Amino acid sequence: MGRAAEEEDATDELVTLLLDDLGPALQWYRDEVARAVGLSPGEVLCLEVCRRQGSMSSGRLGERLGLTRSAVAKMLRRLEEAGHVARSSSPDHEQEIEVEVRPHATRDAVLDAQRRALRRSLREMVGNQALHGRKHAIAATAVAGVATVVFARARAMADATIERRLLAERRRAREAGNPTPWWAR
């Protein structure tokens, strides 16, 4: 088997691993963590993005999550009422809202326990597979690269969905005799 055929087989195997094995497993994991914390999977994802990125604008958060401003505002309102986030006016932009994760005893205990358990399992796997030193760096680079590709693909899919929805709304407005104003184009 030539190099090109080997690369094709390896690529097919990675796609299958990601879409058929890893994707559903990660979704199931997120669903169970959300259930344990008493939030929706989307709310947990929102909190994770905020935790990793630190304080961020609601607009940027919406871009990262692939949600509309309205959906982000509703989600943040629920999370703020439950004590998970704090919202404040942005010092740079008057109309922008800054979001920051707040400490929350129950949520933090559940998420910390889940992270410790996952870390133990991965540490065992790393030890069993001798993934340390150069091999570890190669594996980490590969995983980071795959995550970047998957995120970029998801972002492109979300953008295409938003574009189709916007165009459909504009078409319906035109058909109803309400053309899109120049400032909304």
Side-chain angles (χ1 to χ4, degrees):
M1 182 182 296
R3 181 177 171 93
E6 287 177 1
E7 287 177 0
E8 279 300 312
D9 284 348
T11 300
D12 288 343
E13 188 174 331
L14 276 175
V15 167
T16 299
L17 175 69
L18 283 172
L19 297 180
D20 298 341
D21 299 332
L22 188 57
L26 286 174
Q27 187 60 51
W28 185 26
Y29 174 77
R30 278 201 179 120
D31 291 347
E32 293 305 314
V33 168
R35 192 179 342 274
V37 176
L39 298 171
S40 73
E43 290 168 335
V44 171
L45 181 59
C46 175
L47 292 171
E48 282 297 307
V49 168
C50 289
R51 183 190 63 77
R52 283 193 314 267
Q53 302 292 318
S55 178
M56 65 188 329
S57 72
S58 59
R60 184 162 176 247
L61 179 61
E63 289 173 6
R64 296 281 300 173
L65 296 174
L67 298 174
T68 64
R69 287 183 180 186
S70 175
V72 170
K74 290 175 186 176
M75 181 185 297
L76 291 176
R77 190 176 313 114
R78 288 191 307 269
L79 290 172
E80 186 176 42
E81 288 171 359
H84 294 283
V85 298
R87 296 185 295 173
S88 60
S89 296
S90 171
D92 299 331
H93 300 285
E94 196 173 296
Q95 295 180 343
E96 191 65 62
I97 301 295
E98 289 290 319
V99 182
E100 188 171 15
V101 175
R102 298 180 67 200
H104 189 277
T106 304
R107 178 201 71 221
D108 294 344
V110 169
L111 293 178
D112 287 344
Q114 293 297 327
R115 282 185 171 281
R116 282 193 307 274
L118 187 57
R119 188 172 178 77
R120 272 193 307 274
S121 296
L122 290 174
R123 187 180 306 124
E124 184 178 311
M125 183 185 77
V126 166
N128 289 344
Q129 301 297 321
L131 295 174
H132 48 76
R134 180 159 168 73
K135 285 182 183 178
H136 175 72
I138 291 169
T141 301
V143 168
V146 167
T148 300
V149 168
V150 170
F151 181 78
R153 183 66 197 130
R155 178 78 249 156
M157 291 168 64
D159 288 346
T161 300
I162 290 168
E163 182 69 19
R164 281 192 306 273
R165 189 180 311 137
L166 179 63
L167 291 173
E169 287 173 10
R170 287 181 179 169
R171 185 180 61 250
R172 282 192 300 273
R174 268 194 319 273
E175 290 169 355
N178 301 321
T180 306
W182 64 267
W183 46 265
R185 292 182 187 156

